[in-house]
Amino acid sequence: MRDVAIIGIGQTPVDEHWDKSLKELAGTAIFNALNDAQRETADALFIGNMLSGILSKQENLGALISDWIGLPGIEAHKVEAACSSGAAAFRAGLLAVSSEDVDSALVVGVEKMTESLPIETTEALATAADADYESAQGLSFVAINALVMQLYLHTYGWKHTDFAPFSINAHANAIHNPYARLHENISKKDYISARMIAEPINLLDASPTGDGAAAVFLIPADSLLPDNKKIIQVVGSASATDSIAIHNRKDPLWLSAAEISANKAYQQAGIKPQDIDFFELHDAFSIMSVLSLEACGFSKRGQAPKLGLDDQILINGRIPISTRGGLKARGHPVGATGVYQIIEAVQQLRGEAESTQVTDAEIGMTQNIGGSGATIITHILRSV
Amino acid sequence: MRDVAIIGIGQTPVDEHWDKSLKELAGTAIFNALNDAQRETADALFIGNMLSGILSKQENLGALISDWIGLPGIEAHKVEAACSSGAAAFRAGLLAVSSEDVDSALVVGVEKMTESLPIETTEALATAADADYESAQGLSFVAINALVMQLYLHTYGWKHTDFAPFSINAHANAIHNPYARLHENISKKDYISARMIAEPINLLDASPTGDGAAAVFLIPADSLLPDNKKIIQVVGSASATDSIAIHNRKDPLWLSAAEISANKAYQQAGIKPQDIDFFELHDAFSIMSVLSLEACGFSKRGQAPKLGLDDQILINGRIPISTRGGLKARGHPVGATGVYQIIEAVQQLRGEAESTQVTDAEIGMTQNIGGSGATIITHILRSV
């Protein structure tokens, strides 16, 4: 097993791209990544996507996109793990390069969600939950997360307003990210008065959907690197699952797949949580930020809201999160999100994060969640 | 990169399993593979599936199935490459083990196609073609293959009846496979008089859909093996793509992705086409058998129907194909097919193919096609 480095990143803004098809979005991100890597081709292409079959009536994205980017012939296929499809595709590319089967790999996460009716998108997203025991009972995805948040507030005695710092931080950071979906600061008052979606989750607890694509270029770490680029190496990578239906878990407030995959990744990297300089976590809903921070060892159980209230999640805090806006404000084009997270970590490690740069960032972690904690994939990157 | 061996196989019959859900089918195949491998768990699970999001309103199959089989926690995700999803998942499992990231992997291909209306299934299958330039024009999947077959007949001067041996052979072999969908011999007369679907493709040119699941268990080749089993090693594995829309190809009668992936696999295995003892090819339509045989070097261009007419594709012929019934008669539960092919190759190499055993079979090839030749994945297995 050989070490793998990321030498190219490329993305589109997350937005309502009504003038661009799925393959055009993917192509734009890929060409940007190829340019950044100073390469013209790759041996293989791995695609993270969740909804193309349902919303765009298009599967076989491997052939579709490799053809569109002018590389028909290369190996290509799609990887699906609900909202963690992006990280799952990244991990597939990583294993392909580390196995020595290929010497270079492109990974693209792409999703097109805004061209369908909102009810269609909501129905499509519900396929991440248990079709028989959750979706069929009328539980939408936000409803499942609302049940979890209610239980959390009840169990640990927090108030809804205690979650405000997570949204405020994400929006503040997204202002400086030209690829983010939302560019507006929000106040605590905005958070408190936002429209309710599924109690206690309101509009500012929830991440927006969007169209977007993000791509990275992978090579063996000992290969020739482009000039003037820091080497960004993948030092930890692990994926784990949990019961797909929340009611089957012993403790619905504990992301056991986050704990398993993070611990594996820490062990591979030879580090502990306190060595992580920033954490691009999966803040699809603010409750998910809290549960991730706890399961990954950044807070005691039931105490993560304190990290927000104490300003520890800000860029200059103990564990900066959502440094480029996170899912909450960069946006959450589901199958692409995991690759956006990797790109944002690379920006931090290269020192290219400008106004939201974490000082001396050397080790960053990303975590992508599929379903309500059912599939969780953790990566640790390091500049060497 | 370390060598990988297959030590367990398991399958369900291909049928209309109206009493079994997708996860139950997958579970049955997995438990059979675990039993055969004499194992109780695996480090990771890779799932080949194409249509679950559209037809079963269920994605996130990784978490769903690992939970169902009593292994929540293990890494698991879905791989999609249209009708080649099964082989793509097998290749993902192979790379995971060969990269040393995991020490054992389960691969399951699963598809549930018969619970939806036929028109829904037809629409879902059309997502394998180009949504903008093929499906949106009303071209179903069988219609695309019919255009290719018409062009082949016109270009090379064959008659439709010259394709009869491919269907007759598949049906004759399936009689002896208890897992096959169709157990009835057909005659040349049956073939000629079969109901037309899309001229010149009639009912006996086309493979039936079905529900089914097939699973294999992979370990490093140098690990401890179960007693009394021949070691079946994967000695070649390659995947390639072509333009997704037929009209974009320079030569619509040449499966360039088959040629690329087969040649790579031959090279990895250090062999030539003449060393292959049998070939489990992708006979979704009889025209596809012919094009595969030509692209993989078993026949001159435009001449493969001769292999059928000369009895060279029979069990005792030069290049036996569809030895357990193929897609044509074993059935084609699309995302599962690629894993069924692997299982059938393992049966031949272990000497467990009973009435359709290829004498002294030592090297077998499988080839799984997604779309009309858009994604093609080739594997070579060997008993050592």
Side-chain angles (χ1 to χ4, degrees):
Chain A
M1 188 172 191
R2 57 183 178 183
D3 293 329
V4 176
I6 303 170
I7 61 161
I9 57 176
Q11 55 187 320
T12 73
V14 179
D15 209 337
E16 297 194 11
H17 290 289
W18 291 11
D19 59 334
K20 289 203 177 63
S21 69
L22 186 134
K23 68 185 174 192
E24 289 172 301
L25 291 169
T28 302
I30 289 170
F31 291 136
N32 290 342
L34 285 169
N35 276 340
D36 189 47
Q38 301 172 30
R39 298 276 184 135
E40 292 186 347
T41 184
D43 289 347
L45 169 66
F46 299 89
I47 298 157
N49 173 271
M50 177 183 176
L51 304 170
S52 70
I54 302 175
L55 295 182
S56 304
K57 305 209 182 301
Q58 180 72 69
E59 294 288 2
N60 216 359
L61 296 188
L64 181 86
I65 295 174
S66 59
D67 185 11
W68 175 253
I69 61 172
L71 299 176
I74 67 167
E75 168 168 19
H77 67 249
K78 162 173 161 173
V79 177
E80 189 276 325
C83 300
S84 62
S85 299
F90 179 79
R91 199 168 137 67
L94 186 71
L95 293 188
V97 175
S98 79
S99 76
E100 302 179 25
D101 190 80
V102 299
D103 284 325
S104 61
L106 275 163
V107 179
V108 66
V110 59
E111 206 73 69
K112 188 143 182 68
M113 306 175 72
T114 71
E115 219 169 43
S116 37
L117 296 173
I119 181 69
E120 291 171 337
T121 309
T122 300
E123 275 183 15
L125 287 170
T127 62
D130 188 309
D132 295 336
Y133 293 102
E134 293 181 327
S135 326
Q137 313 307 321
L139 268 180
S140 71
F141 213 67
V142 59
I144 292 172
N145 282 274
L147 291 174
V148 174
M149 191 171 184
Q150 261 179 352
L151 184 63
Y152 189 92
L153 297 179
H154 174 76
T155 304
Y156 298 118
W158 295 97
K159 299 187 302 295
H160 177 257
T161 50
D162 296 329
F163 284 69
F166 294 97
S167 291
I168 294 169
N169 169 64
H171 277 264
N173 291 338
I175 294 275
H176 308 284
N177 177 3
Y179 299 97
R181 176 101 152 91
L182 304 175
H183 289 114
E184 49 198 14
N185 265 317
I186 61 163
S187 65
K188 191 171 170 185
K189 196 178 152 196
D190 293 331
Y191 177 80
I192 292 169
S193 57
R195 187 159 56 83
M196 190 59 67
I197 307 176
E199 204 175 341
I201 291 181
N202 72 24
L203 199 63
L204 289 178
D205 285 305
S207 57
T209 63
D211 306 328
V216 298
F217 196 98
L218 300 174
I219 60 167
D222 56 5
S223 297
L224 195 66
L225 295 169
D227 302 335
N228 308 318
K229 287 253 163 59
K230 272 193 184 177
I231 301 176
I232 309 300
Q233 203 166 310
V234 186
V235 294
S237 171
S239 176
T241 50
D242 198 350
S243 296
I244 187 166
I246 295 271
H247 64 252
N248 272 345
R249 299 185 197 154
K250 278 186 195 157
D251 181 355
L253 298 181
W254 189 252
L255 295 180
S256 113
E259 183 185 20
I260 296 171
S261 64
N263 283 344
K264 263 196 201 171
Y266 292 145
Q267 200 178 358
Q268 290 165 1
I271 62 166
K272 293 192 156 48
Q274 49 266 39
D275 300 316
I276 301 288
D277 294 319
F278 64 93
F279 181 19
E280 294 302 336
L281 49 64
H282 191 93
D283 55 339
F285 301 101
S286 46
I287 178 66
M288 277 292 142
S289 303
V290 164
L291 297 183
S292 296
L293 285 164
E294 294 177 9
C296 297
F298 296 103
S299 159
K300 288 188 182 155
R301 188 184 289 243
Q303 296 303 311
K306 203 165 178 306
L307 286 174
L309 295 168
D310 290 351
D311 287 346
Q312 295 303 318
I313 60 170
L314 304 185
I315 292 297
N316 59 358
R318 156 60 204 104
I319 181 69
I321 65 172
S322 310
T323 70
R324 308 294 286 154
L327 282 62
K328 176 64 199 83
R330 175 241 298 126
H332 184 26
V334 292
T337 290
V339 187
Y340 274 101
Q341 293 177 315
I342 298 282
I343 285 181
E344 291 157 1
V346 170
Q347 290 177 323
Q348 286 289 357
L349 296 171
R350 282 183 181 172
E352 295 175 357
E354 300 182 345
S355 308
T356 59
Q357 179 66 47
V358 173
T359 312
D360 299 331
E362 192 202 326
I363 304 178
M365 185 156 95
T366 65
Q367 187 167 74
N368 198 193
I369 303 185
S372 309
T375 308
I376 304 189
I377 305 173
T378 305
H379 282 99
I380 298 176
L381 311 184
R382 185 169 196 157
S383 61
V384 290
Chain B
M1 189 170 188
R2 57 183 177 182
D3 293 329
V4 176
I6 303 170
I7 61 160
I9 57 176
Q11 56 187 319
T12 72
V14 179
D15 209 334
E16 299 194 12
H17 291 288
W18 290 12
D19 58 335
K20 289 205 178 59
S21 69
L22 185 134
K23 66 186 175 192
E24 289 173 301
L25 291 169
T28 301
I30 289 170
F31 291 135
N32 290 341
L34 285 169
N35 275 340
D36 189 45
Q38 300 171 29
R39 298 275 184 138
E40 291 186 349
T41 185
D43 289 347
L45 169 66
F46 299 90
I47 298 157
N49 173 272
M50 177 183 177
L51 303 170
S52 70
I54 303 174
L55 295 182
S56 305
K57 305 206 182 306
Q58 181 71 68
E59 294 287 2
N60 215 1
L61 296 188
L64 181 85
I65 295 173
S66 58
D67 186 10
W68 175 253
I69 60 173
L71 300 176
I74 66 167
E75 167 167 21
H77 67 249
K78 162 174 161 172
V79 176
E80 189 277 324
C83 300
S84 62
S85 299
F90 179 78
R91 198 167 136 69
L94 185 72
L95 293 187
V97 176
S98 80
S99 75
E100 303 180 21
D101 189 80
V102 300
D103 284 325
S104 62
L106 274 163
V107 179
V108 65
V110 59
E111 206 73 70
K112 189 144 181 67
M113 306 174 73
T114 71
E115 219 169 43
S116 38
L117 296 171
I119 181 70
E120 292 171 337
T121 309
T122 299
E123 276 183 17
L125 287 170
T127 62
D130 190 309
D132 295 337
Y133 294 101
E134 293 182 327
S135 327
Q137 313 307 319
L139 266 180
S140 70
F141 213 68
V142 59
I144 293 172
N145 281 276
L147 291 174
V148 174
M149 191 171 183
Q150 262 180 353
L151 184 63
Y152 189 92
L153 298 178
H154 174 78
T155 305
Y156 298 118
W158 295 98
K159 299 187 301 298
H160 177 257
T161 49
D162 297 328
F163 284 69
F166 294 95
S167 292
I168 294 169
N169 170 64
H171 277 265
N173 291 338
I175 293 276
H176 307 285
N177 178 2
Y179 299 96
R181 177 103 151 91
L182 305 175
H183 289 115
E184 49 198 14
N185 266 316
I186 61 164
S187 65
K188 191 171 172 186
K189 195 178 153 196
D190 294 331
Y191 177 81
I192 292 169
S193 57
R195 187 159 57 83
M196 190 57 69
I197 306 176
E199 202 175 342
I201 291 182
N202 71 23
L203 199 62
L204 289 178
D205 284 306
S207 56
T209 62
D211 308 325
V216 298
F217 196 97
L218 300 174
I219 60 167
D222 56 5
S223 296
L224 193 67
L225 294 169
D227 303 334
N228 310 318
K229 288 255 163 54
K230 270 194 186 178
I231 300 176
I232 308 301
Q233 202 166 312
V234 186
V235 294
S237 172
S239 176
T241 51
D242 198 350
S243 297
I244 186 165
I246 294 269
H247 64 250
N248 272 346
R249 300 186 196 155
K250 278 184 194 159
D251 181 355
L253 297 181
W254 189 250
L255 294 180
S256 114
E259 181 185 22
I260 295 171
S261 63
N263 283 344
K264 264 196 199 171
Y266 292 144
Q267 201 177 356
Q268 290 165 2
I271 61 167
K272 293 191 155 51
Q274 49 267 39
D275 300 315
I276 301 287
D277 295 318
F278 64 93
F279 181 19
E280 293 303 336
L281 49 65
H282 192 94
D283 55 339
F285 300 100
S286 47
I287 177 67
M288 277 294 140
S289 303
V290 163
L291 297 183
S292 296
L293 286 164
E294 293 177 9
C296 297
F298 296 103
S299 159
K300 286 189 185 158
R301 188 183 288 245
Q303 296 304 309
K306 203 164 177 306
L307 286 174
L309 295 168
D310 291 350
D311 288 345
Q312 297 302 316
I313 59 170
L314 304 185
I315 292 298
N316 59 357
R318 156 60 204 103
I319 182 69
I321 66 172
S322 311
T323 69
R324 308 292 287 154
L327 282 64
K328 175 66 199 81
R330 176 238 300 127
H332 184 24
V334 291
T337 290
V339 187
Y340 274 101
Q341 293 177 315
I342 298 282
I343 285 180
E344 291 156 1
V346 170
Q347 289 178 323
Q348 287 289 357
L349 296 172
R350 283 183 181 172
E352 297 176 355
E354 301 181 343
S355 308
T356 59
Q357 179 65 48
V358 174
T359 312
D360 298 330
E362 191 202 328
I363 304 178
M365 184 156 96
T366 66
Q367 188 167 73
N368 197 193
I369 304 186
S372 308
T375 309
I376 303 189
I377 305 173
T378 305
H379 283 99
I380 299 176
L381 311 185
R382 184 166 196 159
S383 60
V384 290

